[in-house]
Amino acid sequence: MSDERLRPFLIQRQSDGTFRLTVRDIRYNSQDYPIVTNVLQDEVFETSAAAKNFARAKFDAKAGQYATK
């Protein structure tokens, strides 16, 4: 298992050039193993900055909580 913690917001670029936001719910079991549930949001964004702004407004996201892979 990697020591790197998962970031709760994943921003992915689609083949048509738009961006989608996935919200990850991360819980840890008794052995500190991450259990991740992904929820792809319905919204489609023109830029990654627009996806970040949406995450800030709707989910109270903070800087450093975004991943692109």
Side-chain angles (χ1 to χ4, degrees):
M1 184 172 90
S2 173
D3 288 333
E4 179 181 325
R5 297 291 179 176
L6 294 172
R7 294 182 178 158
F9 301 100
L10 175 64
I11 299 172
Q12 295 177 309
R13 185 181 192 119
Q14 304 298 303
S15 60
D16 63 356
T18 59
F19 293 85
R20 298 289 302 268
L21 176 69
T22 301
V23 178
R24 300 187 235 188
D25 178 35
I26 306 163
R27 297 175 287 128
Y28 295 90
N29 67 8
S30 61
Q31 287 84 31
D32 203 33
Y33 187 81
I35 301 169
V36 181
T37 305
N38 295 317
V39 179
L40 181 64
Q41 300 299 302
D42 293 331
E43 290 81 358
V44 177
F45 305 98
E46 293 296 318
T47 65
S48 63
K52 288 180 182 181
N53 288 335
F54 177 80
R56 279 188 216 118
K58 187 165 183 182
F59 301 106
D60 197 29
K62 306 286 186 238
Q65 292 184 324
Y66 305 103
T68 56
K69 290 186 179 184

